[in-house]
């Protein structure tokens, strides 16, 4: 976020997360902790998290007051610039809400959904990210369960929603997949997965073949589920996901960040060419070792102050991102910046 000139604040909504790896602008543990609930109400860890979110919902004034000190919310027409400056709000700030991982919160428990609905009423444009380890692709039964869970979460949360397969850079180490990656991310024609599902556990899946087919048809009938991919340490993968988030939240169609944009900001707004699923398949599955070796040599060359070796012609798209860095600072993006008074 800082690289592309966006201010960012993180809100921790996990009462069990007592060792965050990031500075928290707002921390729910200042209101209530899972340890207190488990001790006072004799609840287990999962029940305590649910109770804590209910407590947060019932103490909404605390949450609302904490968020008013952060950027990110849009403002009603009658709010003055002096008031916005007083409470420290900046319209273009990104606020990241780090949520607990209990699946109940996203499938049938209402507190987290109600909290986010109230946040929306403050003027925030929210995008829900459902992160799933890409290991789920290795077993047809696990993948089908993941797809069904993603659909249920989308219907429950009722927000702009992106499903993300994380650790995609580790996928090749799990063994070959029966289908290409695009099959799993597009979530279409699931009937082609059924033979592999039945072969996974023939004795069990033969009994539930009708149920499996019904689940696949249900997911396809809704037509809502698809997946983005993420290799968190790869800057091009991260930027591609951020572009998808911008589109889902409407940020890509909003005002420019400012007149003195960095090249990273220009790249995000001026159509930086992200990675399509074919690029992801090639980079992280088909030719992972080759690309890893080239990136290692490039890193060594940069450390020595030498020109980095170029990628082969076959992988020409891989260095598109680096070319963005060569855009001159006075680059005319063609975007007219309108300053708010």
């Amino acid at each position: 976020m800082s690289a592309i000139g966006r201010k960012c604040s993180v809100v921790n909504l996990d009462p069990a997360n007592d060792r965050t790896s990031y500075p928290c602008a707002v921390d729910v543990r200042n209101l209530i902790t899972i340890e207190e609930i488990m001790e006072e109400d004799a609840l287990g860890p999962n029940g305590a998290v649910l109770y804590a979110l209910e407590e947060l919902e019932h103490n909404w004034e605390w949450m609302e007051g904490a968020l008013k000190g952060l950027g990110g919310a849009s403002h009603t027409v009658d709010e003055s610039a002096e008031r916005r400056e007083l409470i420290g709000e900046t319209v273009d700030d990104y606020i990241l809400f780090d949520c607990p991982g209990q699946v109940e919160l996203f499938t049938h428990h209402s507190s987290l959904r109600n909290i986010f609905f109230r946040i929306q009423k403050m003027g925030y444009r929210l995008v829900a990210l459902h992160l799933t380890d890409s290991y789920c692709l290795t077993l047809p039964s696990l993948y089908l369960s993941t797809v069904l869970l993603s659909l249920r979460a989308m219907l429950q949360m009722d927000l702009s929603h992106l499903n993300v397969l994380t650790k995609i850079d580790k996928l090749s180490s799990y063994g070959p997949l029966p289908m290409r990656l695009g099959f799993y991310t597009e979530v279409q024609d699931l009937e082609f997965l059924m033979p592999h599902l039945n072969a996974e556990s023939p004795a069990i899946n033969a009994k539930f073949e009708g149920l499996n087919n019904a689940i696949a048809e249900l997911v396809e009938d809704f037509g809502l589920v698809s997946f983005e991919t993420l290799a968190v340490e790869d800057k091009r993968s991260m930027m591609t996901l951020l572009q998808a988030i911008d589109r889902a939240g409407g940020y890509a169609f909003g005002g420019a960040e400012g007149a003195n944009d960095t090249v990273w900001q220009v790249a995000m707004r001026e159509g930086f060419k992200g990675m399509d699923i074919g690029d992801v398949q090639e980079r992280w599955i088909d030719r992972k070792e080759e690309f890893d070796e080239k990136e290692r040599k490039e890193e060594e060359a940069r450390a020595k102050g030498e020109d980095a070796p170029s990628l082969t012609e076959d992988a020409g798209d891989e260095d598109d991102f680096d070319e963005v860095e060569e855009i001159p600072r006075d680059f005319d993006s063609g975007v007219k910046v309108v300053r708010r008074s």
Side-chain angles (χ1 to χ4, degrees), residues 137 143 165 177-187 193 227:
L137 306 185
Y143 171 71
L165 294 172
L177 300 175
M179 305 287 187
R180 290 185 66 81
L181 186 59
F183 172 85
Y184 298 97
T185 58
E186 294 173 4
V187 194
L193 191 65
F227 291 94

Side-chain angles (χ1 to χ4, degrees), residues 134 166-173 230-233 284 288:
S134 60
T166 63
K167 303 179 184 177
I168 203 69
D169 50 324
K170 306 295 184 183
L171 188 57
S172 61
S173 64
L230 176 63
V232 71
E233 294 183 357
W284 299 115
K288 182 179 185 300

Side-chain angles (χ1 to χ4, degrees), residues 277-288 291 314-315:
I277 198 59
D279 296 330
V280 178
Q281 171 84 34
E282 182 181 35
R283 171 63 184 89
W284 299 115
I285 300 177
D286 296 342
R287 301 173 60 191
K288 182 179 185 300
F291 275 90
D314 292 344

Side-chain angles (χ1 to χ4, degrees), residues 59-80:
N59 289 274
W60 171 247
E61 295 78 9
W62 179 89
M63 186 70 175
E64 185 178 28
L67 291 178
K68 282 184 176 180
L70 305 179
S74 59
H75 307 278
T76 56
V77 175
D78 60 343
E79 280 188 308
S80 65

Side-chain angles (χ1 to χ4, degrees), residues 137-299:
L137 306 185
T138 61
L139 294 173
S141 59
L142 185 55
Y143 171 71
L144 192 60
S145 300
T146 298
V147 169
L148 185 61
L149 175 61
S150 299
L151 175 60
R152 184 66 189 93
M154 295 177 77
L155 297 176
Q156 168 72 9
M157 298 305 293
D158 199 18
L159 298 169
S160 297
H161 194 111
L162 291 175
N163 301 298
V164 182
L165 294 172
T166 63
K167 303 179 184 177
I168 203 69
D169 50 324
K170 306 295 184 183
L171 188 57
S172 61
S173 64
Y174 301 144
L177 300 175
M179 305 287 187
R180 290 185 66 81
L181 186 59
F183 172 85
Y184 298 97
T185 58
E186 294 173 4
V187 194
Q188 297 178 0
D189 302 318
L190 293 179
E191 65 270 16
F192 292 110
L193 191 65
M194 293 302 108
H196 302 282
L197 179 60
N198 294 331
E200 182 184 327
S201 300
I204 297 177
N205 288 325
K207 182 178 179 180
F208 296 102
E209 182 176 358
L211 177 60
N212 293 334
N213 289 329
I215 292 175
E217 291 176 6
L218 175 69
V219 171
E220 290 186 353
D221 286 346
F222 273 97
L224 294 176
V225 183
S226 62
F227 291 94
E228 302 292 332
T229 62
L230 176 63
V232 71
E233 294 183 357
D234 182 76
K235 61 183 179 181
R236 194 174 179 208
S237 177
M238 182 66 78
M239 292 286 281
T240 300
L241 178 60
L242 187 55
Q243 265 194 340
I245 297 171
D246 285 350
R247 291 193 298 269
Y251 190 96
F253 309 105
E257 282 88 349
N260 299 318
D261 293 344
T262 67
V263 293
W264 296 82
Q265 291 170 289
V266 172
M268 287 300 297
R269 195 175 61 250
E270 294 302 310
F272 155 70
K273 186 180 182 301
M275 302 176 72
D276 60 30
I277 198 59
D279 296 330
V280 178
Q281 171 84 34
E282 182 181 35
R283 171 63 184 89
W284 299 115
I285 300 177
D286 296 342
R287 301 173 60 191
K288 182 179 185 300
E289 293 182 359
E290 180 182 347
F291 275 90
D292 286 347
E293 179 64 17
K294 286 173 182 175
E295 290 186 357
R296 185 186 64 79
K297 291 181 179 179
E298 290 176 354
E299 187 65 29

